[in-house]
Amino acid sequence: MSEILQEGTVIGGTYKIIKEIGSGGGGIVYRARHLRLDTDVVVKKIKDDVIGMIDLRQEADILKKLKHPYLPRVYDFIETDDGVYTVMDYIDGEDLESAVKRHGKFNQKIVLKWAKQLGEALAYLHSQKPPIIHSDIKPANIMLTSDGNVCLIDFNIALAISNGKESAVGISLGFSPPEQYTDAEMYASITNNYSIQDDFTTSSERRGNTMPTELSSNSQSNTEVTAMSFNSQSDTEVTAMSSDSQSDTEVTAMSPNRSGNTEVTAMSPSRAVGTGKRVAMRNTKGQHFDYTSAFGRGINARSDIYSLGMTLYYLLTEKKPLADFSNITPLEKTGVKISEGFLQVLKKMTALMPEQRYANGMEYLKAVRSCYKLDIMYIRMHRKELCIRLSVFASLFLGILLVFTGFYRMELEKNSEYYKLISQAEELAGSFDYDGAVLCLSQAKELYSERIDAYEREMQVLYQSHEYERCIQKGEEYLNTIPFEQEQDADKEKYANLHYIIGNAYYEIDDYANAELYIGKALQYYGGNGLFYRDYAIVLAKLGRVEAAKKELEKGIEKGITEDAAYMVQGEIANAEGRYEDASANLRQTIAMTEDADMKKRAIFLCVDVYRNMGEANIDEEISLLEGNIGQYDSIDALAMTEYLADAYARKARIDMAYADEYYNKALEMFQNVYESGYDTYQIRQNIAIIYENLNRFDEAQEVLTELSQDYPERYEIYKRLAFLEADKQQMKENADRDYGRMMEYYSQAKEKYAESGQDMEMDMLDTMVQELKDGGWLEK
């Protein structure tokens, strides 16, 4: 058993344990403090007996890629001599089990909202490659946040694989499905309500009204049960030992977790996962249990569907589901007010045989979003409408024709207005009025809230306007909340394009892992767009996966991507392999031959990156490339290229001291043009201040940095720059007139705000400078 961490223990030099907040089949959960960021996180210590069942590196990679509004974000994965830990968001709120105990049952409206949110989370987990199985969904593992939304926590990412079956590391009674139990013997010992025979009983035995609770004498193993049966009202510890010579099965109920749930850990040296063998089971009333073949199958996505279904059952009824599957009261008999459609969805979710449930989160999400279509009232209403239509059609054909014509005309007008707004948005975006374009698209979305066209165009506008973070935020929100119409192939292509645009937005902010995720999904949904292959290959090359990038390029060529696109991918692959001359040659070929302005821009920026990788000797080629193309772009693209060129001029000034002032002034002019155009960023203003300092225009540098400190009071870099600036000022004075007191004030502020990461060489230089001033007698030691 894993040793309990004490309060105050520091994990990985960063996370200070505050207290234990839960315990589950996969590990012990603690609330901790991130010492550098001064914020609360959750640290989960993976249990020692689970570590050997998982691929630690695979789990780390999977964990860190997860990003979804209804899942906690994973920050770290730590291996120490004392154990293995995962670190993720601390979700401030109340778990749903506690919420039910405080509030009582919830109505369908709010439960249906949560059902859809949790469906989105499961669809996301199950769509990963490989699929991620939560394996322990229950009310205690769902947090209700202050904004009324839910967050699914404490998921076990990597599950043990045994004979091709995924096996969970624990059981939450009432919420775990039959297949999560090792075998029928284990289930019978837990419920203490069944007897088992290896073969089916005879027809005369089946007619009997009673059955003894002990195992029948012809059973191959005898099970000793030394505990009370589990029910929904109490947490009881059970130990069931099997004395057969072939295996020893021990079932131990763990101590209640933070919400009082009972969790069972099953250990069986020779039978870790059951065979799914069908045996005869009868309860004390002589009733047969007809689902024994489900036991021991091993869990998969369908198991999560069952657990979520029983969780929703609990939220609607305030009744914890019994561990005895056959005695759970059907939802329709609990007296809960629930629509027919939602009831049918829940029935399918909680079917005892896995194959009768939804296959995965994606299939469930689609069903729960459209469950209103299953309502009997809905069906009856439409049947009634059909009868009325037929009757009226027979008697008042002309009247119906007129009415239909009116509705048809209204629909045509609405449809026309929809595409008119999209067309207006495209015109506005073409004239760089991006806000106006987004407004038009918002009006279009109000006309048809589930048509994908306006959403796709909005993502293109946000990407085109370089609002990459907003593009990602809105795009992920739409994908997770809007049930897009996808009946036509064109709609499916646009749905894929939404993922592609989000992936490219991640690419622009250098988040290549998420770029790969979304562009890869775009390819899954639609494989007919060569650009998807082009950009997927480039992202793979950025991630260092060169061979995979080459394969995607081959697929793209088969799909007919243009020659200029192929050259661009080959350039990025050569760059990743360190063949910089080949890389620049390929990219320049793209720049020379392409007629696609966006592709040309991307090839230019990629080529600039290659020149930077080649070193200082290629600075003139970099400048020549940018100067030769900067006049071809308008608005925000021109600003981006101007910023690149300004940076190149500044580096040229540092390299060639004979022309330093000339190139610093060129860089200053470029950065000021960008800033005055309204493209006001922290980096632009800091660059202006640095150039002023290098030109010995100290007062102007001081003014810019002072304004920055007011706008960004927590940025240590500003005070670092002010300290360097003050040191430069004093260097210009006679020794007798120098006073480094103000420099030390800025230095102290920089140190106070600086999170020690060991990655800022300038802070190390500043430390050295201060020590040298102390050693030289300029400062008090």
Side-chain angles (χ1 to χ4, degrees), residues 104-275:
K105 61 186 178 184
F106 290 90
N107 61 39
Q108 173 176 317
K109 181 178 180 181
I110 187 64
V111 173
L112 185 56
K113 170 190 170 183
W114 294 338
K116 292 176 181 178
Q117 291 177 344
L118 293 166
E120 290 166 17
L122 275 190
Y124 176 75
L125 291 174
H126 293 172
S127 66
Q128 301 301 304
K129 291 188 178 296
I132 295 173
I133 312 303
H134 185 289
S135 82
D136 195 21
I137 298 175
K138 57 187 176 184
N141 279 343
I142 302 170
M143 298 299 293
L144 177 60
T145 61
S146 58
D147 58 4
N149 295 320
V150 290
C151 185
L152 181 59
I153 64 171
D154 200 27
F155 41 88
N156 297 313
I157 301 303
L159 300 173
I161 305 298
S162 176
N163 297 323
K165 299 176 182 177
E166 292 175 336
S167 59
V169 292
I171 293 172
S172 294
L173 298 175
F175 297 101
S176 294
E179 64 268 23
Q180 199 156 337
Y181 291 80
T182 304
D183 49 31
E185 287 91 342
M186 175 188 177
Y187 174 72
S189 68
I190 289 175
T191 60
N192 197 24
N193 194 32
Y194 288 89
S195 65
I196 301 174
Q197 291 180 325
D198 287 333
D199 300 307
F200 286 111
T201 54
T202 64
S203 58
S204 60
E205 286 177 312
R206 292 178 185 173
R207 289 194 293 269
N209 294 323
T210 61
M211 189 74 181
T213 58
E214 58 271 90
L215 294 176
S216 59
S217 59
N218 67 348
S219 177
Q220 292 182 3
S221 63
N222 295 317
T223 301
E224 177 184 358
V225 179
T226 59
M228 298 174 61
S229 63
F230 282 99
N231 58 41
S232 62
Q233 308 300 323
S234 64
D235 298 321
T236 309
E237 182 173 315
V238 172
T239 302
M241 298 297 297
S242 169
S243 60
D244 85 36
S245 60
Q246 295 180 355
S247 66
D248 296 321
T249 302
E250 178 181 354
V251 182
T252 304
M254 295 172 57
S255 58
N257 67 7
R258 64 167 178 261
S259 300
N261 278 337
T262 303
E263 299 192 359
V264 177
T265 299
M267 297 171 287
S268 175
S270 63
R271 195 169 51 200
V273 176
T275 62

Side-chain angles (χ1 to χ4, degrees), residues 467-720:
E467 293 192 61
Y468 303 124
E469 297 283 358
R470 187 178 172 199
C471 179
I472 292 166
Q473 183 264 321
K474 297 296 289 185
E476 291 182 339
E477 176 187 334
Y478 294 151
L479 288 176
N480 290 321
T481 60
I482 307 298
F484 290 116
E485 297 175 359
Q486 296 186 62
E487 296 178 1
Q488 304 296 324
D489 289 342
D491 293 330
K492 295 176 182 178
E493 183 177 352
K494 289 169 185 173
Y495 185 71
N497 200 41
L498 277 180
H499 290 80
Y500 172 71
I501 296 169
I502 296 171
N504 270 289
Y506 271 119
Y507 175 91
E508 295 293 350
I509 62 173
D510 299 332
D511 186 344
Y512 301 124
N514 274 310
E516 178 203 0
L517 174 67
Y518 277 95
I519 299 176
K521 284 186 176 181
L523 278 169
Q524 291 175 27
Y525 295 127
Y526 181 75
N529 191 329
L531 293 180
F532 292 3
Y533 291 97
R534 180 197 74 181
D535 291 349
Y536 192 52
I538 288 175
V539 169
L540 290 173
K542 287 286 189 185
L543 291 169
R545 294 163 58 186
V546 173
E547 294 305 316
K550 291 178 180 177
K551 290 180 180 178
E552 294 302 321
L553 174 58
E554 290 174 3
K555 293 178 185 177
I557 292 173
E558 290 174 3
K559 292 292 182 180
I561 67 171
T562 56
E563 188 178 1
D564 50 358
Y567 274 121
M568 188 162 74
V569 178
Q570 288 169 348
E572 186 57 46
I573 290 173
N575 185 36
E577 292 180 323
R579 296 183 291 109
Y580 300 128
E581 293 292 344
D582 291 342
S584 63
N586 281 309
L587 292 168
R588 278 195 172 274
Q589 190 71 20
T590 300
I591 295 165
M593 69 187 305
T594 188
E595 295 181 359
D596 183 329
D598 185 63
M599 187 185 300
K600 185 173 185 177
K601 179 191 67 177
R602 292 188 65 174
I604 290 169
F605 291 155
L606 287 172
C607 196
V608 166
D609 288 340
V610 171
Y611 285 138
R612 290 178 180 178
N613 289 337
M614 294 171 76
E616 297 178 352
N618 293 87
I619 187 65
D620 290 333
E621 291 184 62
E622 178 184 341
I623 289 173
S624 175
L625 174 64
L626 291 167
E627 287 179 336
N629 289 280
I630 195 169
Q632 301 179 30
Y633 294 90
D634 297 319
S635 190
I636 200 160
D637 288 333
L639 293 178
M641 200 159 294
T642 300
E643 187 177 358
Y644 267 71
L645 182 55
D647 179 72
Y649 283 148
R651 284 184 286 114
K652 171 69 173 178
R654 292 194 294 271
I655 294 168
D656 193 345
M657 297 303 296
Y659 298 95
D661 285 357
E662 175 186 344
Y663 280 99
Y664 274 135
N665 278 304
K666 284 186 176 184
L668 180 61
E669 181 183 0
M670 289 287 180
F671 280 129
Q672 286 176 330
N673 287 341
V674 173
Y675 175 68
E676 289 168 3
S677 70
Y679 191 56
D680 180 7
T681 68
Y682 167 83
Q683 192 62 47
I684 292 291
R685 290 159 70 184
Q686 178 180 258
N687 288 339
I688 290 173
I690 292 172
I691 292 174
Y692 275 138
E693 182 180 355
N694 288 329
L695 289 170
N696 294 334
R697 294 165 65 174
F698 298 135
D699 290 342
E700 289 160 294
Q702 179 86 32
E703 182 180 351
V704 174
L705 291 171
T706 301
E707 290 178 358
L708 268 179
S709 69
Q710 294 168 357
D711 294 339
Y712 302 92
E714 296 305 315
R715 297 291 296 257
Y716 79 90
E717 299 96 332
I718 300 170
Y719 299 97
K720 174 186 71 178

Side-chain angles (χ1 to χ4, degrees), residues 443-455:
Q443 294 171 353
K445 289 187 293 184
E446 290 176 3
L447 292 175
Y448 292 104
S449 62
E450 295 182 3
R451 277 196 190 176
I452 198 168
D453 306 65
Y455 295 94

Side-chain angles (χ1 to χ4, degrees), residues 723-761:
F724 279 124
L725 176 63
E726 192 62 30
D728 286 345
K729 283 184 179 181
Q730 299 307 316
Q731 285 290 104
M732 303 295 290
K733 297 179 181 179
E734 296 293 334
N735 287 356
D737 296 328
R738 293 182 185 179
D739 181 357
Y740 290 96
R742 196 167 185 184
M743 174 199 168
M744 285 301 297
E745 291 178 12
Y746 292 137
Y747 171 72
S748 297
Q749 288 175 287
K751 291 292 286 184
E752 181 181 342
K753 299 177 185 298
Y754 174 52
E756 289 287 350
S757 63
Q759 297 178 347
D760 191 334
M761 294 180 61

Side-chain angles (χ1 to χ4, degrees), residues 56-117:
L56 298 178
R57 283 275 52 88
Q58 180 189 41
E59 174 148 346
D61 293 340
I62 294 173
L63 278 168
K64 291 180 180 179
K65 286 183 179 180
L66 295 181
K67 186 177 183 182
H68 192 278
Y70 304 129
L71 295 172
R73 189 68 188 265
V74 178
Y75 296 114
D76 212 345
F77 190 92
I78 301 171
E79 295 181 62
T80 71
D81 293 339
D82 299 322
V84 178
Y85 307 85
T86 56
V87 183
M88 61 185 69
D89 280 328
Y90 174 76
I91 306 300
D92 191 15
E94 179 181 30
D95 68 76
L96 284 184
E97 182 170 14
S98 301
V100 169
K101 289 178 180 177
R102 175 181 55 80
H103 174 275
K105 61 186 178 184
F106 290 90
N107 61 39
Q108 173 176 317
K109 181 178 180 181
I110 187 64
V111 173
L112 185 56
K113 170 190 170 183
W114 294 338
K116 292 176 181 178
Q117 291 177 344

Side-chain angles (χ1 to χ4, degrees), residues 356-424:
Q356 295 174 3
R357 303 177 207 139
Y358 298 108
N360 49 47
M362 295 78 81
E363 187 175 304
Y364 158 69
L365 180 60
K366 182 178 180 180
V368 76
R369 281 176 171 172
S370 58
C371 66
Y372 66 90
K373 295 180 181 179
L374 299 174
D375 290 343
I376 287 178
M377 290 183 64
Y378 177 92
I379 296 170
R380 287 175 178 170
M381 177 185 71
H382 282 270
R383 285 176 180 169
K384 185 176 181 180
E385 287 177 355
L386 178 60
C387 292
I388 292 173
R389 289 194 194 103
L390 292 173
S391 175
V392 175
F393 181 79
S395 59
L396 298 171
F397 174 79
L398 182 59
I400 288 182
L401 183 60
L402 292 172
V403 171
F404 176 78
T405 301
F407 278 117
Y408 181 68
R409 183 175 298 155
M410 289 174 61
E411 186 64 20
L412 279 177
E413 291 175 355
K414 182 179 176 182
N415 192 66
S416 176
E417 179 65 16
Y418 179 77
Y419 287 106
K420 180 180 178 181
L421 286 166
I422 291 178
S423 179
Q424 288 176 353

Side-chain angles (χ1 to χ4, degrees), residues 178-179 181-184 187 194-197 200 275-282 288-297 352-353:
E179 64 268 23
Y181 291 80
T182 304
D183 49 31
Y187 174 72
Y194 288 89
S195 65
I196 301 174
Q197 291 180 325
F200 286 111
T275 62
K277 177 184 176 183
R278 187 176 177 87
V279 295
M281 290 183 62
R282 287 190 288 187
H288 281 270
F289 184 81
D290 296 324
Y291 304 99
T292 56
S293 62
F295 292 126
R297 289 190 181 184
L352 293 182
M353 296 304 291

